[in-house]
Amino acid sequence: GENVEQHPSTLSVQEGDSAVIKCTYSDSASNYFPWYKQELGKGPQLIIDIRSNVGEKKDQRIAVTLNKTAKHFSLHITETQPEDSAVYFCAAPDSGYALNFGKGTSLLVTP
Amino acid sequence: DTAVSQTPKYLVTQMGNDKSIKCEQNLGHDTMYWYKQDSKKFLKIMFSYNNKELIINETVPNRFSPKSPDKAHLNLHINSLELGDSAVYFCASSLFGTLGTDTQYFGPGTRLTVL
């Protein structure tokens, strides 16, 4: 099955700086890569996703890049704000109908 | 309107008891899931149902039994609870569930504590 590695496990940045979280996957057939944000006490929420036919996707301050050759994808958050503080998960499809999640990155944005 | 709802939000029980967690989605989705999140925040798929049929059953003890009365509901029954079952359980749903490439919408979670 798919194996997703995520790093760093914790990330602390100052407000206004950029944050980058990286993930690698093992199954070259994977074609869908979502990123989820989990705030304290809540369920994960999709913030952005990318499919294998594009290399980059952007939504305001959030962007995701995909390198299929190297089998890695990254989340970029620019102009970070305190409300960006949360746990972020990358994921890739497992053997049908489910997502295999990375172990999460705890992002702390300090004012 | 809550898209994916779970009850209860908190569940505290003794070892050996049997308990159930309920999940409902009002999105009209075909596929529903149960995930377990451990104390280190690791999210792992447990079960997946597509149109009331079991699709995925990961290596979960058979004390855990999902039941889907209709495609809007997926309940999780746990028998003979053990300390190691303590975790947050998330229900999720997706429109089709095709090969995991649909957006999955998560419920708020149920924190289970086994004493």
Side-chain angles (χ1 to χ4, degrees):
Chain A
E2 177 69 274
N3 184 36
V4 179
E5 300 285 338
Q6 180 175 348
H7 59 94
S9 57
T10 60
L11 180 58
S12 182
V13 300
Q14 287 213 313
E15 183 176 359
D17 288 349
S18 295
V20 181
I21 303 170
K22 299 182 179 181
C23 286
T24 60
Y25 60 98
S26 59
D27 186 353
S28 57
S30 290
N31 58 1
Y32 173 66
F33 307 94
W35 284 91
Y36 282 80
K37 175 183 180 182
Q38 186 178 19
E39 296 177 340
L40 195 63
K42 297 184 178 179
Q45 301 293 314
L46 179 76
I47 54 171
I48 195 167
D49 57 14
I50 190 167
R51 297 184 188 271
S52 58
N53 57 345
V54 296
E56 183 174 1
K57 184 176 177 181
K58 193 172 180 180
D59 182 3
Q60 298 183 354
R61 298 186 296 107
I62 295 173
V64 55
T65 58
L66 172 64
N67 183 327
K68 286 215 70 179
T69 303
K71 291 191 283 188
H72 67 70
F73 56 111
S74 300
L75 177 71
H76 305 253
I77 306 174
T78 58
E79 300 171 26
T80 53
Q81 301 167 2
E83 51 265 37
D84 294 329
S85 296
V87 180
Y88 292 81
F89 293 94
C90 62
D94 205 336
S95 49
Y97 291 97
L99 288 171
N100 210 340
F101 284 86
K103 292 192 174 183
T105 296
S106 181
L107 173 64
L108 177 65
V109 181
T110 54
Chain B
D1 285 346
T2 304
V4 181
S5 59
Q6 295 178 229
T7 54
K9 188 165 176 62
Y10 300 97
L11 185 53
V12 181
T13 188
Q14 300 286 332
M15 263 195 320
N17 284 349
D18 304 336
K19 291 292 179 185
S20 294
I21 306 172
K22 294 185 177 181
C23 178
E24 177 181 1
Q25 54 95 2
N26 62 6
L27 298 168
H29 287 172
D30 284 348
T31 304
M32 296 185 72
Y33 313 80
W34 277 108
Y35 286 87
K36 179 181 180 181
Q37 187 172 47
D38 63 21
S39 58
K40 295 185 179 179
K41 298 284 190 181
F42 184 47
L43 268 167
K44 187 169 173 58
I45 183 71
M46 299 175 69
F47 302 101
S48 171
Y49 268 71
N50 178 262
N51 274 317
K52 296 167 51 181
E53 289 190 19
L54 181 64
I55 301 298
I56 293 174
N57 183 352
E58 291 296 308
T59 51
V60 176
N62 57 14
R63 299 182 294 105
F64 290 78
S65 55
K67 286 186 173 53
S68 182
D70 55 62
K71 75 174 192 177
H73 296 84
L74 181 62
N75 304 322
L76 183 65
H77 300 272
I78 315 171
N79 295 325
S80 303
L81 278 156
E82 301 177 356
L83 293 176
D85 298 332
S86 295
V88 181
Y89 293 84
F90 286 101
C91 177
S93 73
S94 64
L95 184 57
F96 299 118
T98 307
L99 298 177
T101 58
D102 290 339
T103 299
Q104 294 189 17
Y105 296 83
F106 283 77
T110 295
R111 181 174 293 277
L112 171 64
T113 302
V114 182
L115 303 175

